[in-house]
Amino acid sequence: MTASDLMPPEQPLAMPEQDFSKDFRDAAAPGDAAPRQVALWRLLAFSPAMAATGLLTWVMQGWFADGGFSVLEMILLALIAFNFFWIAFTVSTVLLGLYGLSRRERTVTRGAARPMKVALLMPVYNEVPWYVLGNAQTMLQELHGRGGLHEYAMFILSDTRDDAIAEQERASVEALRTMLPEGTELYYRRRADNEGRKVGNISDWVRRWGAGYEAMLVLDADSLMTGRAIARLADALARDPSAGLIQSYPQLIGAQSVFGRMQQFANGVYGLALAEGLARWAGHEGNYWGHNAIIRTRAFAACAGLPLLRSRFGGGEKLIMSHDFVEAGLLRRAGWSVRFLPRIRGSYEETPATLIDHILRDRRWCQGNLQHLNLLHAKGFRAISRFHLFAGAIGYLMAPVWFALLVLWAVIGRSEEASVISYFSEANPFRPNWPDMSEPKHVLVIILIYAMLLAPKLLAAAALPLTGSRFSEYGGPVHFALSFLSEVVLAILYAPILMVQQMIAVFRTALGLQRGWAPQARDGGSYSLRTLAACHALETVSGVALWAGILTGTVSLWLAPIALSLVLAVPLSALSGVKTVNRIRHWMATREEFTEPQITRAARAARAELKALLDGNTVRGTPAE
C-alpha cells in the first residue's frame, strides 16, 4: 500500500501568506454585528479593575507623599498598580462569568444548520501510535453512531521524525481502517520534513486537500471530544455564516500526579466561570487556543497564512510559535467573527504531569507569546485582538515584574533597620523615603493582594451550583472542601516557583537561549536529584536569602510563605510527579472522575485493543505541543 492509498485525491486550496504591514478584508466575509450587550460586558469587566487599581494607587501615593517621591518609590507604586490591575481584571471576569452562568441562558441559534463536510485534523509528532489512534477511533465511532447532518473525515497528519514510530503509525491506521464501520473515513499522511512544525503541518493539508472540506476541526494529539461536542461545534458554524472560528472549552482529564491533579481540579472547578466571563466581554472577537476548535476552511486559507516574523527577542526571522492567537486576530481582521462557546461539554485534553514538564512547555509558550509584541502595531487588527496578544505576553512579563516587586518589598520590609537603605547617601536623589512597612496599613496591601489572588477560586467554588454542578458530584461537601483546600495550598506553594521559572523563561527568550519547540513527555519525565537541583537553583538561593533576611529582621515576615516555597523548590518539584490515584482515592477529583464519561471509557478500551494489535511493540513517543 503506497502513501497515496491512505489519503483521498488532492483538492488544492490557495493559502497566501499575510502581510502584517497592510490591512486586509476578505470579500467572502459577510460581516457580523457584535452582540448587543458586548459593550456593557466590556464595561463591567474593565471598569471595576481600573477603578480598584486607581483607588489603591491613590491611597498608596498618599503614604509616600510626605517629603516628595523618590525614584524607587515611584517604581514600587507602578509595579503594585500594574500587578493589581491584572489581578482585579481576573476577579471581575470571574464575577461576570458567574453572573452569566447563573442566568442559564441558552446559546442563541441563527437558523437551521446546513450539511457540511468536516475534516478532523490531528497533527502528531513522535506520538505513541496506539494512544493517538485509540482516541481517533473513539471519536469516529461516536460520530458514526450519532449520525446527523454533517459528514466527517479524520486525518492523522504526521510530522514524526522517528522512522520506527512512523511505521507503527501507518500500521495502526491500516489496522484501524479495517475495524471501523463501513463509510467511516480515516486518512494518514506523513510529511517528508516538518518545515513550519504544526503551522506548516496544518497549512500543508489546507493547500493540498482544503478545498474538499468546508470546515476543519483542529485537534491536538491528546485531544478527545464527544460526538455531541463535535456536532454542536459543527452546527454552530453552519448556522452562523459570519463565524470563521468557534473555540470550545477543553477540560483537563487523565491526571494522576499531584501537580496534574492540582491543575485538573482548578480547570474543572474554577475554569468555567473564567471562561464564561471571557466569552462575554470578548463577544465575537474571541481567541483561539490551537485545538478543539472548528474553523471555516476557506476563511482560514484566505486570511490566516503566516509568514516568518522578525523577532525583537533573539533576532532574525522566525516561525510564529504561538500561532493560534495570531490566526484568530487575522480572521477577525479580515471580517470573520471568532466565537467562544465554553458551555459545550465533552471537549477534553491532558496536562503535564510534573512541575518540570510544565516548565518546559511554559518556556515554549513564553517564547511564542513574547513574539506577539511585534504584532501589536500590525495593520488592521481589532483592538480586542491586540488586547489578546498583549495579555498573552503580559502573562509572562508579569513574572519579572512580580519578582522585582518582591525584591523591593523585601528590601523595605524593615525600612528603618534594612542595611540596604544605608547604601543611599543623604545627597543621593534616589534615596527612598520609605514608610515603615511594619505599619498595619502597609501590611493590609499585602493581605489585599493575597486575597485578590484567592478571590477567583473562592468565588467559583462558592458559586459552583450556578454552573450546573452539585457538590455531590465531587464526592459531597466534605470531600469537595478537602480537595479545594488541598488545591489552594498547593497552588500557593507552587506559585512562587512558577513566578521564578517564568522570569527565567522571559530572559531565556530575550537572550535567544530558548530555541525550537521540542516535544514533551506525556506521562512526565523521571528526573534525578541533580536535574531537580539544577532546574530550581535560583528559587533555592532566593528562598535562602529571603529567610536570612526574615530571621535577621531586615525582611518583612509577611513574605515568609513565599520564602518557604522557594527554599523548598526541589522537594516540591519532586512531589509534583508523585502519582496519587492509587494511594489517595478521589483526591482533588473532578466530577468526570466520580462519574466517568462514556467516551473516556471507550477511548481507554480502544487504546488497549490497538496496543494489543501491535503485539506489545509500542514505541514510546511524546506529544506535539
Side-chain angles (χ1 to χ4, degrees):
M1 184 177 288
T2 65
S4 60
D5 293 328
L6 295 180
M7 288 295 287
E10 291 193 14
Q11 300 184 67
L13 180 63
M15 188 174 181
E17 291 184 354
Q18 296 299 303
D19 187 346
F20 293 119
S21 67
K22 298 178 181 178
D23 199 353
F24 176 75
R25 172 77 187 191
D26 187 0
D32 68 296
R36 288 180 300 172
Q37 291 184 306
V38 70
L40 174 61
W41 301 139
R42 289 175 183 175
L43 184 68
L44 292 174
F46 286 88
S47 295
M50 291 188 290
T53 303
L55 178 62
L56 179 66
T57 304
W58 178 76
V59 170
M60 289 197 68
Q61 66 85 26
W63 300 344
F64 295 112
D66 293 341
F69 281 100
S70 71
V71 172
L72 289 182
E73 287 171 341
M74 289 188 286
I75 292 174
L76 177 65
L77 195 59
L79 292 177
I80 292 172
F82 180 80
N83 280 283
F84 192 80
F85 168 78
W86 293 100
I87 296 170
F89 181 64
T90 300
V91 174
S92 60
T93 299
V94 167
L95 286 170
L96 190 63
L98 290 173
Y99 168 76
L101 291 170
S102 70
R103 299 184 66 186
R104 307 284 178 90
E105 297 168 335
R106 291 188 176 183
T107 302
V108 177
T109 58
R110 297 180 174 229
R114 55 186 179 78
M116 296 191 305
K117 290 189 70 175
V118 181
L120 311 179
L121 307 184
M122 184 173 281
V124 297
Y125 180 81
N126 290 353
E127 292 287 342
V128 180
W130 53 263
Y131 195 99
V132 173
L133 271 298
N135 284 2
Q137 176 185 356
T138 306
M139 288 185 275
L140 285 172
Q141 288 176 335
E142 278 229 348
L143 288 168
H144 184 271
R146 283 184 59 84
L149 289 174
H150 312 294
E151 297 178 38
Y152 300 95
M154 174 76 77
F155 290 81
I156 308 299
L157 305 179
S158 176
D159 263 356
T160 293
R161 301 298 91 203
D162 187 306
D163 289 339
I165 298 177
E167 184 59 35
Q168 287 206 338
E169 287 175 354
R170 184 183 183 84
S172 298
V173 171
E174 291 173 353
L176 186 53
R177 284 167 68 120
T178 67
M179 298 163 56
L180 289 169
E182 184 178 354
T184 305
E185 297 182 59
L186 174 65
Y187 302 107
Y188 173 80
R189 183 272 283 134
R190 183 191 180 198
R191 288 202 295 168
D193 61 70
N194 66 332
E195 180 181 359
R197 296 187 174 87
K198 184 176 178 179
V199 172
N201 200 354
I202 297 293
S203 62
D204 175 79
W205 179 88
V206 171
R207 291 185 172 105
R208 295 173 65 187
W209 291 279
Y213 299 88
E214 188 169 350
M216 56 184 192
L217 194 151
V218 180
L219 301 162
D220 260 357
D222 61 354
S223 293
L224 184 65
M225 296 185 70
T226 64
R228 182 173 184 269
I230 293 171
R232 287 189 66 187
L233 283 176
D235 286 347
L237 190 75
R239 288 190 177 106
D240 185 356
S242 70
L245 184 150
I246 302 177
Q247 174 71 63
S248 71
Y249 173 57
Q251 294 175 269
L252 299 181
I253 57 169
Q256 299 185 25
S257 66
V258 171
F259 189 81
R261 292 181 76 80
M262 178 191 78
Q263 299 280 83
Q264 182 176 283
F265 186 84
N267 167 270
V269 176
Y270 324 130
L272 184 59
L274 184 62
E276 176 72 15
L278 170 61
R280 292 219 165 226
W281 63 253
H284 282 199
E285 297 177 316
N287 212 347
Y288 174 36
W289 296 338
H291 56 90
N292 294 31
I294 194 166
I295 304 172
R296 198 174 302 278
T297 311
R298 290 187 180 274
F300 188 80
C303 312
L306 297 181
L308 295 178
L309 180 67
R310 184 165 185 81
S311 176
R312 71 184 66 184
F313 294 105
E317 288 192 335
K318 296 185 177 181
L319 179 72
I320 295 177
M321 307 299 281
S322 290
H323 54 91
D324 38 17
F325 281 37
V326 182
E327 289 160 348
L330 289 171
L331 283 166
R332 192 69 194 103
R333 178 180 79 160
W336 296 97
S337 68
V338 178
R339 296 171 57 194
F340 182 26
L341 299 181
R343 299 196 199 187
I344 292 180
R345 299 193 65 85
S347 177
Y348 303 110
E349 64 172 331
E350 296 181 1
T351 187
T354 72
L355 179 60
I356 287 186
D357 291 310
H358 176 88
I359 288 168
L360 294 176
R361 185 184 71 173
D362 219 37
R363 287 179 180 177
R364 300 191 299 273
W365 284 3
C366 176
Q367 181 185 14
N369 277 272
L370 292 186
Q371 280 184 322
H372 296 164
L373 295 175
N374 296 321
L375 296 175
L376 293 180
H377 300 292
K379 294 288 186 180
F381 273 30
R382 304 295 179 93
I384 291 297
S385 297
R386 296 183 201 276
F387 180 79
H388 289 312
L389 294 172
F390 180 66
I394 285 299
Y396 290 94
L397 292 175
M398 278 184 68
V401 171
W402 267 111
F403 193 81
L405 175 59
L406 291 175
V407 168
L408 282 175
W409 228 316
V411 166
I412 67 173
R414 301 288 182 188
S415 59
E416 299 302 325
E417 295 85 14
S419 59
V420 69
I421 300 301
S422 64
Y423 169 81
F424 300 99
S425 67
E426 292 289 339
N428 193 324
F430 291 94
R431 183 179 185 274
N433 180 31
W434 300 118
D436 184 2
M437 292 301 288
S438 63
E439 293 180 20
K441 61 184 179 181
H442 303 101
V443 170
L444 286 176
V445 175
I446 302 177
I447 295 175
L448 176 62
I449 290 176
Y450 285 162
M452 290 291 283
L453 287 169
L454 287 174
K457 298 176 185 287
L458 294 168
L459 289 168
L464 191 67
L466 297 180
T467 67
S469 299
R470 298 184 300 274
F471 290 117
S472 60
E473 296 174 314
Y474 293 84
V478 174
H479 198 288
F480 177 84
L482 290 174
S483 294
F484 173 78
L485 289 174
S486 298
E487 190 282 330
V488 168
V489 170
L490 287 170
I492 291 172
L493 287 172
Y494 284 115
I497 302 171
L498 291 171
M499 172 196 68
V500 173
Q501 286 295 333
Q502 286 188 337
M503 181 184 69
I504 292 172
V506 169
F507 286 115
R508 284 175 60 91
T509 299
L511 296 173
L513 300 177
Q514 182 64 35
R515 301 184 185 278
W517 196 271
Q520 67 186 42
R522 180 184 304 282
D523 295 326
S526 177
Y527 301 104
S528 66
L529 180 59
R530 175 177 293 184
T531 300
L532 293 170
C535 179
H536 300 294
L538 182 57
E539 297 99 293
T540 304
V541 171
S542 301
V544 170
L546 276 176
W547 272 113
I550 290 171
L551 295 175
T552 58
T554 58
V555 172
S556 173
L557 186 61
W558 287 94
L559 296 180
I562 295 171
L564 179 65
S565 295
L566 295 177
V567 82
L568 294 178
V570 170
L572 285 172
S573 187
L575 173 68
S576 71
V578 174
K579 291 188 176 181
T580 66
V581 172
N582 297 325
R583 302 182 183 187
I584 310 176
R585 185 171 175 78
H586 296 320
W587 183 50
M588 291 192 294
T590 58
R591 62 181 183 179
E592 284 75 21
E593 183 170 327
F594 283 100
T595 306
E596 185 179 10
Q598 189 276 333
I599 191 170
T600 60
R601 294 197 301 270
R604 188 166 55 251
R607 292 193 292 261
E609 184 179 7
L610 278 174
K611 185 178 181 182
L613 282 176
L614 291 174
D615 296 324
N617 295 323
T618 302
V619 178
R620 284 192 69 80
T622 48
E625 290 195 15

